[in-house]
């Protein structure tokens, strides 16, 4: 766990903030961010070279990922006992510039900050079914409140017919995407075959070889592209879990960054209760299907993430590789 330093040097403090931020989830583990530091400020930038141009031509998922890193930076500042001061950037000439996060005045660290921060490195994306255990009492309500505090709605899909419809749409998206050679090439770029030494990207150790058969079955993204790699073993888990959508009132840069901050807040809170999330964003990458979901299932708000939440076993924990050391360009 990244401990806040006891007698912090300024450079060390900022380094710790960045080290925490890079544990945020990102589409295909692209880690589409970089940071620079000045004074008591960390500046977060989107690394547009790491955007998924085929599935994410407008950078929506890239900015959701950066939003998740931004929430982590805010939390890490609070964990240091300082108030985070965030200045969102909106410079059309520098679209990659996201936000300055500065160390504000001292403030007491709360138990909530501590507990949430402890999940930063512990949280992992789950792929597969869940155990059939019930969700902890009150958790979904807490997650909805967390998303709401970030100006985002967490919609729980309780209607069984809607769950089946969303599962079918996810499968349609997966099939349609696989028909596109550019999509297949993009996944191949970010899911290298076993043996690759890269720190980023989705590796074999993060994917089950045979996805569990849940009912309804929400299609997994096929990172192995039918080549039969992925982890074996572990008990089959048959529960779909709680299906949920994160939605926003608008669909621009600010909304995507908010969705990312809400996402990370929800994921860390869920992790406190050993609840993990599995993502199925393919269906939101096919514009016609996203529009269908928006109008039919989201009261015309914009779906940004679709996920299943549930209790998983820990066999893939640790599957993600640590960040490379060169993410800060700066004066540290
Ligand atoms: C915007 C976004 C979209 C994602 N879409 C998917 C997805 O469709 N399928 C999937 O298995 N994981 C998806 N993920 C999870 C990432 O693959 C995961 O965060 C990354 O591999 C790093 O692993 P970790 O979350 O375990 O740290 C998504 C994450 C984000 C932030």
């Amino acid at each position: 766990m990244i401990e806040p330093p006891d007698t912090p040097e300024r450079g060390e403090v900022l380094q710790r903030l960045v080290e925490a931020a890079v544990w945020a989830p990102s589409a295909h583990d692209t880690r589409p961010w970089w940071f620079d530091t000045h004074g008591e400020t960390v500046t977060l930038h989107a690394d547009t070279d790491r955007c998924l141009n085929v599935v994410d031509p407008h950078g929506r998922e890239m900015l959701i990922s950066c939003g998740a890193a931004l929430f982590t930076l805010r939390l890490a500042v609070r964990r240091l006992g300082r108030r985070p001061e965030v200045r969102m950037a909106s410079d059309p000439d520098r679209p990659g510039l996201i936000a300055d996060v500065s160390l504000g005045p001292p403030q007491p660290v709360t138990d909530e900050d501590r507990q949430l921060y402890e999940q930063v490195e512990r949280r992992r994306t789950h792929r597969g079914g869940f155990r059939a255990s019930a969700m902890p009492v009150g958790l979904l309500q807490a997650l909805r409140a967390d998303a709401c505090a970030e100006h985002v709605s967490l919609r729980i899909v309780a209607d069984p017919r809607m769950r089946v419809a969303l599962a079918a749409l996810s499968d349609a998206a997966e099939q349609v995407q696989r028909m596109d050679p550019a999509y297949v090439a993009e996944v191949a770029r970010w899911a290298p075959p076993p043996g690759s030494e890269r720190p980023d990207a989705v590796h074999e150790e993060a994917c089950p070889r045979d996805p569990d058969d849940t009912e309804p079955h929400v299609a997994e993204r096929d990172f192995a592209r039918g080549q039969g790699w992925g982890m074996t073993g572990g008990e089959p888990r048959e529960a779909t879990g709680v299906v949920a959508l994160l939605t926003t009132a608008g669909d621009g840069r600010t909304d995507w960054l908010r969705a990312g901050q809400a996402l990370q807040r929800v994921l860390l809170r869920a992790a406190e209760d050993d609840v993990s999330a599995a993502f199925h964003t393919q269906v939101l990458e096919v514009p016609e299907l996203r529009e269908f979901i928006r109008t039919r299932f989201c009261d015309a708000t914009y779906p940004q993430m679709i996920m299943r939440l549930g209790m998983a076993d820990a066999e893939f924990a640790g599957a993600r590789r640590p960040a490379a050391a060169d993410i800060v360009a700066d004066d540290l």
Side-chain angles (χ1 to χ4, degrees), residues 22-254:
V22 299
W23 283 98
S26 62
H28 291 24
D29 206 9
T30 44
R31 311 182 189 183
W33 45 59
W34 62 278
F35 305 85
D36 70 78
T37 62
H38 37 98
E40 294 209 315
T41 299
V42 176
T43 302
L44 167 63
H45 304 257
D47 183 345
T48 50
D49 288 345
R50 289 176 162 262
C51 186
L52 301 168
N53 292 323
V54 176
V55 293
D56 190 27
H58 306 295
R60 186 179 66 82
E61 292 187 44
M62 177 185 75
L63 289 182
I64 291 174
S65 308
C66 288
L70 176 56
F71 179 80
T72 319
L73 276 178
R74 288 167 47 202
L75 174 64
V77 173
R78 289 208 305 272
R79 179 63 186 83
L80 281 173
R82 303 284 290 269
R83 192 171 77 207
E85 292 184 343
V86 179
R87 199 162 54 84
M88 301 302 291
S90 58
D91 181 348
D93 293 332
R94 299 178 69 195
L97 190 59
I98 305 273
D100 285 330
V101 181
S102 304
L103 303 176
Q107 68 175 17
V109 184
T110 64
D111 286 346
E112 189 180 324
D113 295 336
R114 273 196 194 88
Q115 283 156 12
L116 222 50
Y117 188 77
E118 270 174 27
Q119 310 309 318
V120 166
E121 277 190 45
R122 205 176 150 253
R123 176 215 60 80
R124 282 292 179 288
T125 294
H126 179 70
R127 297 187 176 91
F130 290 111
R131 282 194 265 129
S133 354
M135 293 287 262
V137 177
L139 177 64
L140 292 179
Q141 209 173 352
L143 298 182
R144 272 202 297 257
D146 277 332
C148 185
E150 302 293 336
H151 311 283
V152 172
S153 295
L154 180 73
R155 292 165 176 260
I156 308 297
V157 182
D159 185 327
R161 286 158 304 188
M162 202 165 135
R163 282 163 60 95
V164 171
L166 279 174
L169 291 169
S170 298
D171 193 41
E174 174 68 14
Q175 302 306 329
V176 166
Q177 284 183 323
R178 276 195 229 166
M179 286 160 54
D180 177 1
Y183 169 82
V184 174
E186 187 171 77
V187 176
R189 182 172 167 224
W190 290 102
S196 162
E197 305 272 310
R198 282 168 63 178
D200 55 356
V202 178
H203 291 276
E204 175 181 48
E205 56 266 33
C207 301
R209 179 165 301 185
D210 300 308
D212 300 312
D213 209 3
T214 62
E215 184 56 47
H217 185 71
V218 190
E220 297 277 344
R221 197 187 294 276
D222 182 11
F223 284 107
R225 305 171 304 286
Q227 292 177 48
W229 55 258
M231 301 300 278
T232 52
E235 301 238 324
R237 293 150 301 193
E238 290 171 357
T240 303
V242 171
V243 177
L245 288 153
L246 277 179
T247 74
T248 50
D251 198 29
R253 177 187 167 90
T254 305

Side-chain angles (χ1 to χ4, degrees), residues 213-322:
D213 209 3
T214 62
E215 184 56 47
H217 185 71
V218 190
E220 297 277 344
R221 197 187 294 276
D222 182 11
F223 284 107
R225 305 171 304 286
Q227 292 177 48
W229 55 258
M231 301 300 278
T232 52
E235 301 238 324
R237 293 150 301 193
E238 290 171 357
T240 303
V242 171
V243 177
L245 288 153
L246 277 179
T247 74
T248 50
D251 198 29
R253 177 187 167 90
T254 305
D255 305 287
W256 301 338
L257 288 167
R258 281 181 172 166
Q261 291 174 83
L263 173 70
Q264 179 70 330
R265 186 162 170 168
V266 161
L267 296 178
L268 295 179
R269 173 89 54 196
E272 274 181 33
D273 280 347
D274 294 324
V275 168
S276 316
F279 301 105
H280 300 274
T281 43
Q282 303 101 301
V283 69
L284 305 181
E285 292 162 356
V286 178
E288 298 87 343
L289 298 181
R290 183 170 183 235
E291 181 60 12
F292 183 85
I293 291 172
R294 181 178 90 81
T295 50
R296 291 296 186 103
F297 301 142
C298 300
D299 298 323
T301 62
Y302 292 85
Q304 304 296 354
M305 288 297 284
I306 174 165
M307 63 186 116
R308 294 179 298 113
L309 296 164
M311 317 283 274
D313 302 315
E315 69 257 40
F316 297 121
R320 173 170 164 177
R321 300 182 183 180

